[in-house]
Amino acid sequence: MIQPLKYNNNISFKANEQKNTNTEDKPSLKKRFVNVIKGVNDITSTTKGVTRGITEGIAATAIIGLVGKNIKETNANIFKTALGIIKDAAKATWSTAKFIPQILTKAPVENLKDISALPVKFYKDYLKNNKTTASIATFAGLGVLAFRTIQGKIKANLKNANVDHATKTKHY
């Protein structure tokens, strides 16, 4: 059977006033130094991951685009595909070899403009009739970038954990 609630005079609906018992307003010098080291770990490891991701992502995009385009154009004939890959790779190598002297003779701004135009040339000129291949290559490149960025952040976290364990501070 349900019992009625009894009124209790000791019930208070006012919030309890809690004083800050933490006497440490500023972090100690040790904690500040550890935080600087951890910040450097975060920046360097994540930057390395992003840089590696960009480099490997560009390579993955180019390779998938090269192979995919040649497979599609040769109707999956393995010998013609291999020959097309070799021809296209030779053209790219020759273009790169011709560009290297320009790095020394042209202004850096002009070199950056030339380099920044490469993705447009790759998609508009090289993969112009291969939208599926271009999409797959792009997603693969972005996937590599994301993977390497996350991997860099994980490495930073492991380094930070090692710093925390060595200094006997808490790791979050």
Side-chain angles (χ1 to χ4, degrees), residues 47-63 141 144-145 148:
T47 302
K48 285 179 186 178
V50 169
T51 304
R52 187 173 176 191
I54 290 170
T55 305
E56 292 177 3
I58 290 170
T61 302
I63 290 169
V144 169
L145 173 62
R148 291 299 184 194

Side-chain angles (χ1 to χ4, degrees), residues 52-145:
R52 187 173 176 191
I54 290 170
T55 305
E56 292 177 3
I58 290 170
T61 302
I63 290 169
I64 291 170
L66 172 73
V67 173
K69 174 190 174 272
N70 283 293
I71 288 173
K72 186 175 179 186
E73 286 181 351
T74 61
N75 293 323
N77 182 324
I78 193 159
F79 298 111
K80 289 181 181 178
T81 299
L83 185 62
I85 290 170
I86 292 169
K87 284 181 181 178
D88 288 346
K91 285 179 190 175
T93 304
W94 179 247
S95 296
T96 303
K98 288 191 319 187
F99 179 73
I100 290 174
Q102 293 178 5
I103 293 173
L104 300 173
T105 59
K106 280 187 174 181
V109 174
E110 291 178 36
N111 288 328
L112 286 174
K113 285 180 184 177
D114 291 342
I115 291 171
S116 65
L118 289 176
V120 175
K121 287 181 183 178
F122 179 72
Y123 284 105
K124 285 193 176 183
D125 297 339
Y126 188 72
L127 294 177
K128 60 184 169 191
N129 296 324
N130 300 293
K131 291 181 180 181
T132 304
T133 302
S135 298
I136 292 169
T138 302
F139 286 125
L142 291 174
V144 169
L145 173 62

Side-chain angles (χ1 to χ4, degrees), residues 34-53:
V34 167
N35 286 339
V36 168
I37 292 172
K38 288 165 61 174
V40 169
N41 284 342
D42 282 338
I43 291 169
T44 57
S45 295
T46 306
T47 302
K48 285 179 186 178
V50 169
T51 304
R52 187 173 176 191

